[in-house]
């Protein structure tokens, strides 16, 4: 079974802090994704990566950056957390370049910024 | 640009009933896939079913089936003989030429005993 893990289930940070969210997948997937999930808005794509050291902006990249130094690990960074970044963050991975490919999701990190 | 709309924020049915979740989409792609994902309470999101736009036959996975109306850009999910374990958030999503998966707003489905 594909396993996607995220470093924390719950996280509480203060405004202005630098926040790291880590995601690891164990199935040698090429693609990795970061989404935020908000009630009534569904999932919105923040950043994604097709390969190591490759990254592309999604629909809402402002205030976020990412790092992919190893194939299995994709990190989301909030350079200076703000209260409007309080949300559920979901990481996902998929095998390759087919539009048919299923995305496998992690359990999510619920981040609260005070 | 692709858009996906789920107009039912919440639904509730009795166990063993059949329920249909609605989804409409818009895309300029010629080939695309449509998906339904399920997010149970406090558990990871999983794929329920997918449909290729070129296929006329509706996809079926056990108790889950879709009604794909390409001209109407409609992609509804039918759950037959609903079970308590079907209680979850359900997201409709589409993917076209790019790798991006575009999600709808979600429908919270509750199955009552």
């Amino acid at each position: 079974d594909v396993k996607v893990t995220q470093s924390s289930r719950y996280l509480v940070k203060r405004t202005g802090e630098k926040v790291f969210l880590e995601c690891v997948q164990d199935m040698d997937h090429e693609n990795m994704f970061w989404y935020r999930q908000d009630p009534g808005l569904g999932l919105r794509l923040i950043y994604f990566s097709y390969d190591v050291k490759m990254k592309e902006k999604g629909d809402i990249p402002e205030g976020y950056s990412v790092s992919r130094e190893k194939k299995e690990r994709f990190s989301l960074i909030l350079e200076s957390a703000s209260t409007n970044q309080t949300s559920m963050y979901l990481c996902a991975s998929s095998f390759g370049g087919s539009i048919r490919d299923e995305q496998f999701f992690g359990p999510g990190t619920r981040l609260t910024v005070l | 640009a692709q858009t996906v709309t789920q107009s039912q924020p919440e639904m509730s049915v009795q166990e063993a009933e059949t329920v249909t979740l609605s989804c409409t989409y818009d895309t300029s792609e010629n080939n695309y896939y449509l998906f339904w994902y399920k997010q149970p309470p406090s558990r990871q999101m999983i794929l329920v079913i997918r449909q290729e736009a070129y296929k006329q036959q509706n996809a079926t996975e056990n108790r889950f089936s879709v009604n794909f109306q390409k001209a109407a850009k409609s992609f509804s999910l039918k759950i037959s003989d609903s079970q308590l374990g079907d209680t979850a958030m359900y997201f409709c999503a589409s993917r076209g030429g790019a790798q991006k998966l575009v999600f709808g707003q979600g429908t919270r489905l509750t199955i009552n005993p």
Side-chain angles (χ1 to χ4, degrees), chain A residues 37 50 99-101 103 105, chain B residues 37 39 44 50 95-96:
Chain A
Q37 180 181 358
Y50 290 138
I99 61 172
R100 182 185 186 280
D101 286 347
Q103 287 190 11
F105 286 83
Chain B
Y37 279 86
Q39 186 181 39
Q44 290 169 242
R50 66 187 135 195
R95 185 193 288 131

Side-chain angles (χ1 to χ4, degrees), chain A residues 35-38 42-44 60 64 84-88:
Chain A
Y35 297 91
R36 63 176 283 175
Q37 180 181 358
D38 299 290
L43 277 71
R44 293 178 291 166
I60 52 165
Y64 304 94
N84 63 12
Q85 291 178 311
T86 290
S87 187
M88 171 71 88

